[in-house]
Amino acid sequence: MSKAGALDLASGLGGKIEKKEVLSAVEQYEKYHNLYGGADEERKSNYTDMVNKYYDLATSFYEFGWGESFHFAHRFNGESLRESIKRHEHFLGLQLALKPGQKVLDVGCGIGGPLREIARFSLVSVTGLNNNEYQISRGKELNRIAGVDKTCDFVKSEIEIGDGLPDIRSTTQCIEALQKAGFEASHTSSPLMTIHVKVIWSKDLAKDSPVPWYLPLDKSHFSLSSFRLTAAGRFFTKNLVKALEYVGLAPKGSQRVQDFLEKAAEGLVDGGKKEIFTPMFFFLARKPL
């Protein structure tokens, strides 16, 4: 997990966007959304710009508050967020039955937290696929610091085709997409599945998690090990960003980035409590032998 501090946060804000252009980029990003009067068609036709602006603006906050691995995890009582994330990454390596020396592709790799952990755990080489230049440059620097720059690398390429904000996909649609990509796919114990595919296995890992996946983002929860995510920690970060922006160490517009990330966190918690969606549905799929 990352040990990013205040100066890392300040220097990373805006990603590859020129510091003097960050406020303008924030305004452009906000206008892509209905909440700020944006039009759906404009967002759809400019989804690549919207997605890249988001990751340029948000990545340093992610790393500062959450760590290097931008995902949730099944979590046991007494287990820290950091421990659960590492365990989940080890779980992925074991499910793939990785052997030392094998080559692995991580599609949508962020700044490479999972690929570094899996590379060290399974003794494999991992290439991360990402469409954001800043995340790739940050990931390469973290690879060097971790000592895995000889076995882990990144490739910049488009990952998604669409409007950047698709409708929520059902598990059935996920299986269909895997089939179209040429995979044998699995889904067990669901009466809704009628697609005839070779069963390996799948499961919503969030369902039997003793600790709700959204708990770290819930302001009513307090944790010393994840202090930066608590209400007190977020209040501290808000004022830290305000101070950094005031003295010129962080670009103008940084506070507004934190504001829309706060809204996103609140939405995740509300959606999690209402069980509208899950971020932890696991599919094991493979190419036909």
Side-chain angles (χ1 to χ4, degrees):
M1 299 285 281
S2 174
K3 295 181 180 179
L7 293 180
D8 297 297
L9 174 63
S11 63
L13 281 169
K16 289 294 184 180
I17 300 171
E18 291 288 334
K19 300 304 179 187
K20 63 182 179 181
E21 301 295 331
V22 168
L23 179 57
S24 174
V26 172
E27 292 171 344
Q28 291 173 27
Y29 174 78
E30 289 177 339
K31 287 177 181 177
Y32 282 132
H33 296 80
N34 294 357
L35 181 64
Y36 298 94
D40 289 347
E41 289 308 313
E42 183 180 3
R43 185 189 72 234
K44 291 178 181 179
S45 62
N46 293 283
Y47 82 95
T48 300
D49 180 66
M50 184 195 72
V51 169
N52 272 289
K53 274 190 170 61
Y54 176 80
Y55 287 118
D56 277 333
L57 295 169
T59 294
S60 61
F61 279 103
Y62 277 16
E63 187 180 353
F64 181 78
W66 195 264
E68 295 176 22
S69 298
F70 301 163
H71 63 81
F72 295 94
H74 174 282
R75 187 174 167 192
F76 292 103
N77 291 317
E79 187 177 41
S80 70
L81 175 64
R82 177 178 180 175
E83 290 168 340
S84 69
I85 285 178
K86 280 182 174 288
R87 180 175 51 74
H88 183 69
E89 291 162 356
H90 296 172
F91 163 81
L92 295 178
L94 291 170
Q95 288 300 311
L96 292 170
L98 299 177
K99 302 293 190 297
Q102 287 185 325
K103 295 183 178 180
V104 181
L105 177 65
D106 181 357
V107 180
C109 59
I111 58 174
L115 71 82
R116 280 185 291 278
E117 187 64 32
I118 290 172
R120 289 178 293 202
F121 178 74
S122 301
L123 302 177
V124 294
S125 298
V126 188
T127 298
L129 187 66
N130 196 321
N131 64 352
N132 183 263
E133 186 178 347
Y134 172 67
Q135 288 196 342
I136 288 176
S137 64
R138 180 60 178 157
K140 287 184 175 181
E141 174 63 12
L142 292 171
N143 282 357
R144 185 191 63 77
I145 293 171
V148 296
D149 49 317
K150 297 294 189 295
T151 57
C152 296
D153 202 1
F154 298 86
V155 172
K156 186 178 187 299
S157 178
E158 287 297 318
I159 297 173
E160 59 186 299
I161 298 175
D163 64 9
L165 285 175
D167 296 330
I168 294 177
R169 296 295 186 237
S170 68
T171 55
T172 301
Q173 289 171 315
C174 291
I175 288 285
E176 290 172 343
L178 287 168
Q179 284 189 300
K180 288 178 181 178
F183 285 91
E184 294 177 349
S186 72
H187 184 103
T188 60
S189 69
S190 173
L192 299 178
M193 297 301 295
T194 58
I195 300 170
H196 300 292
V197 295
K198 182 178 177 63
V199 172
I200 305 170
W201 79 284
S202 67
K203 183 180 181 180
D204 182 1
L205 301 178
K207 274 198 169 181
D208 59 359
S209 176
V211 179
W213 62 265
Y214 54 81
L215 190 67
L217 296 174
D218 190 341
K219 283 187 175 181
S220 66
H221 172 70
F222 182 81
S223 169
L224 284 175
S225 63
S226 301
F227 177 74
R228 290 177 180 177
L229 296 171
T230 64
R234 281 145 79 169
F235 177 79
F236 171 80
T237 301
K238 183 179 181 68
N239 284 281
L240 172 64
V241 172
K242 183 177 181 180
L244 291 171
E245 188 172 330
Y246 179 78
V247 300
L249 290 176
K252 292 185 183 300
S254 298
Q255 293 180 74
R256 284 171 65 172
V257 175
Q258 188 185 22
D259 287 342
F260 68 65
L261 290 177
E262 282 284 338
K263 287 186 176 69
E266 291 166 5
L268 284 169
V269 173
D270 288 345
K273 287 181 176 179
K274 294 174 182 176
E275 298 185 349
I276 294 173
F277 62 89
T278 174
M280 291 296 299
F281 207 99
F282 174 80
F283 291 99
L284 182 61
R286 70 183 180 192
K287 286 280 189 179
L289 300 175

